[in-house]
Amino acid sequence: MSTEPVDPGDGGGTPPPSPCCAPRRPPAAAGTGAAAGASAVRSPHGGTDDVIALPGGTFLMGTDDPEGFPEDLEGPVRPVAVAPFAIAATPVTNRQFARFVDATGYRTDAERYGWSFVFHLLLAPSAHRYVLDASVPQAPWWLAVEGAHWAAPDGPGSDVRGRERHPVVHVSHRDAEAYCLWSGTRLATEAEWEYAARGGLSQARYAWGDELTPDGRHLCNIWQGAFPAVNTAEDGFAGTSPVTAFPPNGYGLYDVAGNVWELTAEPWRDRRGRISPGESVIRGGSYLCHDSYCNRYRVAARSRTTVDSSSGNTGFRVAR
């Protein structure tokens, strides 16, 4: 099986994102590949624990920061109006996703395909024989692992015990939409996500200001050390962290930088505004982001994924 990411060719001068961020499932993937069906059953509790109502308004979206990635179309800075909405304070957790699965019997894309991407240093010792492919071009740290899914995030032999308050991972865009349908919620638009993530700050580099570690404090879960071989975990975590492990932003949102990439409702568009079929925008960066190659924990940073792709560093939060 080849796990090589496919360049869809948007014709607008935008190359595909590096697979280091969120690897993409190839079109001819192993397994059934059947589309995941969302349950029509609604959750009586709304599928989330803490939802924050925001007034909306006009804010400056995007960045012209020299640390940005022009190929990701982060800029230019432009005023964008957002209507009032509500958004979850945290990404959806393993505990919340388990409630959904228990209520509906839902099977994720990773389970339907039979495999998902696991970061090499996090692979469970018992899962080495389940590695299907270790040849993602330009990103050998991503392993396609048979049996890896949301409840076995590090491969067969792993589970989420003790990680109930960690964000659910190995979920695709289709899985997130199924959860939203069940819970009576939706994914945020990209503008809503950035408005909320900024927490009332205008054009700050990070969700808390312009300095990554003010007074030496780690304010998000990202990589420390020499990527991809040595993670010193100075922030306390080598993989995912509990969703409230770091301080919230000015609006009370946690984890809008680092921990896991967050799926949005926004389709990926090229420089001419044309939609790239089957691709959507992800925001926020993950625990694998490092300034040596990714640096996408900045509040305006963005990347993309395909609707059926899943990995150990991608999750989502809900909105209304």
Side-chain angles (χ1 to χ4, degrees), residues 156-201:
S158 66
D159 57 45
V160 295
R161 285 178 294 181
R163 290 187 266 188
E164 290 85 358
R165 287 289 292 166
H166 288 227
V168 66
V169 293
H170 295 294
V171 285
S172 70
H173 194 275
R174 296 192 301 204
D175 300 332
E177 288 186 325
Y179 179 95
C180 288
L181 179 60
W182 168 76
S183 62
T185 59
R186 61 175 175 82
L187 294 174
T189 68
E190 186 177 14
E192 287 173 336
W193 191 97
E194 185 170 326
Y195 168 86
R198 289 192 174 279
L201 300 180

Side-chain angles (χ1 to χ4, degrees), residues 221-236:
N221 179 9
I222 57 176
W223 185 281
Q224 293 89 43
F227 187 88
V230 179
N231 187 354
T232 61
E234 294 169 20
D235 58 17

Side-chain angles (χ1 to χ4, degrees), residues 8 17 21-24 72 171-177 187-190 261-270 274-283 301-310 314-316:
C21 295
R24 297 185 289 172
D72 287 347
V171 285
S172 70
H173 194 275
R174 296 192 301 204
D175 300 332
E177 288 186 325
L187 294 174
T189 68
E190 186 177 14
W261 281 101
E262 297 185 16
L263 298 156
T264 73
E266 203 75 27
W268 184 271
R269 292 177 171 83
D270 66 18
R274 297 174 303 188
I275 290 175
S276 181
E279 291 192 305
S280 61
V281 176
I282 52 177
R283 298 295 300 258
R302 60 201 301 265
S303 191
R304 64 188 183 182
T305 189
T306 57
V307 295
D308 62 348
S309 292
S310 61
T314 302
F316 67 103

Side-chain angles (χ1 to χ4, degrees), residues 25-27 29-34 108-115 174 308-309:
R25 192 180 296 279
T32 64
T108 60
D109 272 332
E111 292 168 284
R112 290 168 180 261
Y113 282 114
W115 65 274
R174 296 192 301 204
D308 62 348
S309 292

Side-chain angles (χ1 to χ4, degrees), residues 49 90-99 150 163-169 179 242-243 316:
D49 296 327
T90 72
V92 172
T93 64
N94 286 314
R95 177 182 292 134
Q96 291 169 322
F97 201 78
R99 290 200 300 246
W150 76 271
R163 290 187 266 188
E164 290 85 358
R165 287 289 292 166
H166 288 227
V168 66
V169 293
Y179 179 95
V243 293
F316 67 103

